[in-house]
Amino acid sequence: MATVADLRYGQKGIIKDFTEHILPVKLMELGCLPGNSVELLQIAPLNDPIYINLSGSHLAIRRSLAVLIELDIIDETQAK
């Protein structure tokens, strides 16, 4: 099971599910829903927070929240 916290720079994934159903409503309103894409853009110097592209919206989220979002990681080598 991969999560948003497991992504490396530039790596993308598709949201699969949430490990807990306690995500903030605002995050879901911004597109954090199953089937939407996520890309890791940056990681802060102390590894928290992480900066992601969530279906076109750029967000900074805590790593503790990122581990709750399960992904199917997109393998770029297969996509080409």
Side-chain angles (χ1 to χ4, degrees):
M1 172 187 79
T3 66
V4 173
D6 299 325
L7 291 174
R8 295 184 305 263
Y9 285 107
Q11 196 172 26
K12 297 177 183 178
I14 302 294
I15 298 174
K16 185 169 131 184
D17 200 5
F18 310 121
T19 54
E20 293 182 25
H21 297 283
I22 308 174
L23 285 181
V25 173
K26 186 66 175 173
L27 195 58
M28 288 187 272
E29 288 174 350
L30 290 170
C32 188
L33 299 168
N36 287 347
S37 65
V38 176
E39 177 184 6
L40 180 65
L41 300 176
Q42 291 180 328
I43 300 173
L46 296 176
N47 283 335
D48 199 19
I50 61 174
Y51 188 57
I52 60 172
N53 178 356
L54 180 62
S55 299
S57 298
H58 291 194
L59 305 169
I61 62 172
R62 293 181 184 263
R63 192 167 287 276
S64 61
L65 185 59
V67 298
L68 300 177
I69 305 168
E70 295 178 12
L71 294 177
D72 286 325
I73 294 179
I74 299 171
D75 186 3
E76 292 293 324
T77 58
Q78 292 178 351
K80 292 182 181 178

